[in-house]
Amino acid sequence: MNVDRDRIIIFDTTLRDGEQSPGATLNVDEKLTIARQLARLKVDVIEAGFPYASPGDFEAVQKIAAAVGTQEGPTICALARTRREDIEAAGKAIAPAAKGRIHTFIATSDIHLEYKLKKSRQDVLAIVPEMVARAKSFAEDVEFSPEDAGRSEPEFLYQVLELAIAAGATTVNIPDTVGYTTPGEFGALIRGIKENVPNIDRAVISVHGHNDLGLAVANFLEALKNGARQLECTINGIGERAGNAALEELVMALHVRRQYYNPFFGRPAESTEPLTNIDLRQIYKTSRLVSNLTGMLVQPNKAIVGANAFAHESGIHQDGVLKHKQTYEIIDAESIGLTQNQIVLGKLSGRHAFQTRLQELGYSLSDDEINKAFVKFKDLGDKKKEVTDLDLESIVNDEIQQPPELFRLELVQVTCGDRSCPTATVTLRTPTGEELTDAAIGTGPVDAVYQAINRVVKMPNELIEFSVQSVTAGIDALGEVTIRLQHEGRVFSGHSANTDIIVASAQAYVNALNRLYSALQNSSPGSKKSDRLSEAVATS
Ligand code: KIV
Ligand code: ZN
């Protein structure tokens, strides 16, 4: 591998660390859909999962490696603890990829060694070269991470990294696992590694960081100035606890402020050569896709991709922007693929126009998916005069977000009003093909629908999040409902869009319940992801 690359390597871990966000569990098809979009976004590396964690993770990594890991496509990476069985699973899962990577890790901070691993520093110094060499027997491209590097003793860290590189690691990743460091400290840590690890020139320095103090992006930018060349990040910043560094924020900071960053890469300040390979116009679409499929909403004031990121409320700002855009706008919304609400199609548009527009928007769907999406489009065209790109995107996202259809919503009917008790009737087709109807009252129409569905499905759960967002402006807009429910400590999400928000709410709830049901069906002893993950946490 050329370690002197002149562009920053964008390593996306949405499907691994991002998927560790509570409730963000994705099925294999959804992971594949996101991986395809990440390839369109042109990330350099996709960390597709942790194959040893569960058979589902293994399958997802293997399928992504086969379908997305082409010679021109991204490198497909799999995570493994420094354990033989993990490394073997990772090696097998990435085998179909033209460019595969194994990412193996072990903690190096005293607090992790003493309380979590119950291992000595000497143990780590013995394990690392052996397991990196083992990973090397499966893949030429091996990444090593000293977990909790941000709180590890630097001299010990240098020793571990030197051994990892000597054993064949081509990337050494420095994680701020608990999001504890400050930008100055993190930059100094990277500089220390560059200056004190004798063989560091044989590896790419990477950074990985969590956002517990809201500093992950700032830490990474400082790390770049001190020699890091790979950034590990997620779409919308999703991930464990407060999440990871957000890809879109890093990439746009490097784009908008490239005159500032260029000299750190040996370029003249005025160079217009991009610092990353990312196709900026895919950013917004990727953000929406990940949000819809994971059920993790993007906060309205989120940098770059939040609903308000380009909205100007105050009169002074509006006046300024009308006179000259850059008075208050440093980013052109179109540069991240946020098109105006273009009217593209109407109810008379045919299948060909529909398919062509989807292709122009970057979607490549199977015939079956196009057929299903077209039915929804026609249905929407009947209710809504103008169907915009955002509507199309919502229809397609709904179509490709395919939780296993165990229960199917056949009918939902509600009566409500200020003088009546909200009452709902629902009919569901059960996994055995039976049609069951029940009715319930509730505090409002949505509550009544959910009570009625619960009477049919009989799966105890607590609704912990419910949100409705309108896709476009106007009374006939599609309403997107995203919900999260909890069952025995596990969180499941559901998403749906409809011009009738009661129908969207019912469908989103059924989608989440289907995920819950499918997870329970798949969790046989020995294959339960949560068990394997807790084991991983205890022994990595
Ligand atoms: O946060 C972390 O330390 C990780 C490692 C596995 C890289 O996710
Ligand atoms: Zn992490």
Side-chain angles (χ1 to χ4, degrees):
M1 181 168 192
N2 176 9
V3 295
D4 273 321
R5 287 177 43 131
D6 55 355
R7 290 204 186 175
I8 298 156
I9 302 166
I10 298 294
F11 176 110
D12 181 278
T13 183
T14 304
L15 295 174
R16 199 278 297 170
D17 211 323
E19 212 231 358
Q20 287 174 219
S21 315
T25 326
L26 298 160
N27 66 34
V28 174
D29 287 340
E30 290 165 345
K31 286 186 185 175
L32 204 49
T33 302
I34 292 179
R36 289 200 166 103
Q37 179 55 27
L38 291 173
R40 277 183 221 115
L41 181 65
K42 295 208 171 357
V43 304
D44 300 287
V45 186
I46 294 178
E47 188 165 48
F50 180 4
Y52 186 73
S54 73
D57 259 38
F58 183 92
E59 187 192 347
V61 176
Q62 200 174 40
K63 284 197 165 153
I64 291 169
V68 186
T70 59
Q71 190 56 46
E72 314 68 51
T75 296
I76 307 300
C77 175
L79 185 71
R81 292 167 295 174
T82 46
R83 295 174 131 213
R84 301 179 83 82
E85 58 276 27
D86 280 42
I87 291 172
E88 193 176 321
K92 285 186 181 152
I94 57 159
K99 293 173 287 175
R101 174 183 296 188
I102 296 179
H103 174 192
T104 187
F105 73 100
I106 188 167
T108 48
S109 64
D110 288 337
I111 186 166
H112 277 228
L113 289 182
E114 185 178 345
Y115 296 103
K116 187 181 79 164
L117 295 185
K118 306 203 185 329
K119 289 193 191 313
S120 67
R121 289 186 178 186
Q122 284 312 315
D123 293 333
V124 173
L125 293 175
I127 292 169
V128 170
E130 188 191 341
M131 290 301 137
V132 169
R134 176 106 188 113
K136 203 76 182 167
S137 70
F138 288 96
E140 191 40 46
D141 187 353
V142 173
E143 171 169 329
F144 169 73
S145 290
E147 192 191 5
D148 205 18
R151 292 189 300 171
S152 299
E153 204 245 321
E155 296 301 327
F156 177 55
L157 197 58
Y158 303 152
Q159 265 183 296
V160 175
L161 295 176
E162 184 181 354
L163 289 175
I165 297 168
T170 38
T171 300
V172 285
N173 177 48
I174 310 305
D176 180 15
T177 303
V178 290
Y180 181 71
T181 60
T182 64
E185 285 168 344
F186 202 55
L189 178 64
I190 302 303
R191 193 168 55 250
I193 289 169
K194 221 164 155 52
E195 288 170 358
N196 293 290
V197 176
N199 52 4
I200 196 67
D201 289 342
R202 284 163 45 194
V204 172
I205 303 179
S206 166
V207 286
H208 177 108
H210 287 265
N211 214 17
D212 300 67
L213 295 175
L215 295 173
V217 168
N219 284 349
F220 279 27
L221 293 173
E222 212 51 32
L224 283 178
K225 287 161 60 179
N226 287 282
R229 288 297 175 265
Q230 174 178 283
L231 304 178
E232 299 203 354
C233 42
T234 60
I235 302 296
N236 301 335
I238 65 171
E240 281 278 0
R241 307 183 309 279
N244 288 67
L247 180 148
E248 61 280 1
E249 294 177 20
L250 288 163
V251 168
M252 289 312 287
L254 291 165
H255 173 71
V256 174
R257 299 303 314 277
R258 59 184 180 277
Q259 292 203 348
Y260 172 77
Y261 288 104
N262 274 336
F264 296 100
F265 295 84
R267 303 171 177 197
E270 62 281 2
S271 167
T272 53
E273 179 74 9
L275 282 163
T276 71
N277 285 321
I278 294 296
D279 178 351
L280 305 183
R281 280 160 317 161
Q282 296 289 333
I283 286 179
Y284 183 70
K285 188 193 300 167
T286 316
S287 161
R288 294 267 303 160
L289 180 70
V290 169
S291 171
N292 287 343
L293 294 185
T294 58
M296 307 271 303
L297 295 176
V298 175
Q299 77 197 56
N301 58 325
K302 161 91 178 60
I304 318 294
V305 289
N308 295 351
F310 297 97
H312 299 275
E313 192 64 27
S314 94
I316 297 176
H317 285 210
Q318 285 170 354
D319 179 57
V321 168
L322 286 175
K323 287 178 175 147
H324 185 74
K325 242 182 163 196
Q326 283 167 4
T327 48
Y328 284 103
E329 258 183 32
I330 58 163
I331 304 170
D332 180 356
E334 286 187 14
S335 69
I336 61 156
L338 188 58
T339 50
Q340 295 305 316
N341 264 356
Q342 269 174 289
I343 297 160
V344 287
L345 301 170
K347 73 175 193 177
L348 297 178
S349 308
R351 195 175 184 287
H352 183 67
F354 175 72
Q355 191 171 355
T356 308
R357 188 61 196 152
L358 287 185
Q359 272 160 2
E360 282 164 8
L361 288 171
Y363 292 106
S364 52
L365 303 187
S366 68
D367 283 349
D368 190 41
E369 284 170 334
I370 289 181
N371 290 341
K372 288 190 191 151
F374 187 61
V375 172
K376 286 196 179 159
F377 160 70
K378 280 292 187 188
D379 192 37
L380 183 61
D382 278 339
K383 297 177 183 148
K384 196 169 184 283
K385 217 168 68 206
E386 298 155 346
V387 181
T388 68
D389 282 347
L390 290 176
D391 291 322
L392 289 184
E393 190 188 66
S394 177
I395 290 175
V396 173
N397 283 344
D398 233 30
E399 195 41 58
I400 50 190
Q401 183 195 8
Q402 294 271 3
E405 203 178 55
L406 299 168
F407 289 92
R408 194 162 85 205
L409 183 70
E410 297 289 353
L411 170 138
V412 53
Q413 227 166 29
V414 180
T415 53
C416 61
D418 64 350
R419 301 290 156 90
S420 69
C421 177
T423 310
T425 307
V426 299
T427 301
L428 295 182
R429 185 179 293 274
T430 69
T432 54
E434 222 181 331
E435 274 199 5
L436 296 179
T437 299
D438 217 321
I441 55 168
T443 52
V446 174
D447 185 43
V449 169
Y450 286 11
Q451 302 294 345
I453 293 175
N454 280 336
R455 288 173 69 92
V456 175
V457 176
K458 295 191 174 55
M459 174 59 63
N461 71 82
E462 188 195 347
L463 183 69
I464 54 172
E465 197 174 302
F466 174 87
S467 112
V468 190
Q469 280 176 321
S470 127
V471 174
T472 52
I475 195 70
D476 56 358
L478 273 178
E480 282 189 326
V481 175
T482 306
I483 68 135
R484 276 139 70 85
L485 56 81
Q486 198 163 19
H487 170 85
E488 292 179 353
R490 295 174 72 186
V491 179
F492 300 88
S493 68
H495 175 92
S496 188
N498 199 291
T499 46
D500 183 327
I501 59 163
I502 301 296
V503 177
S505 305
Q507 189 59 61
Y509 195 54
V510 172
N511 287 350
L513 288 170
N514 278 335
R515 282 214 166 87
L516 192 171
Y517 247 84
S518 141
L520 293 184
Q521 280 178 344
N522 292 335
S523 48
S524 56
S527 71
K528 211 166 147 193
K529 181 172 180 178
S530 53
D531 290 351
R532 289 269 175 90
L533 281 179
S534 5
E535 185 203 337
V537 169
T539 56
S540 66

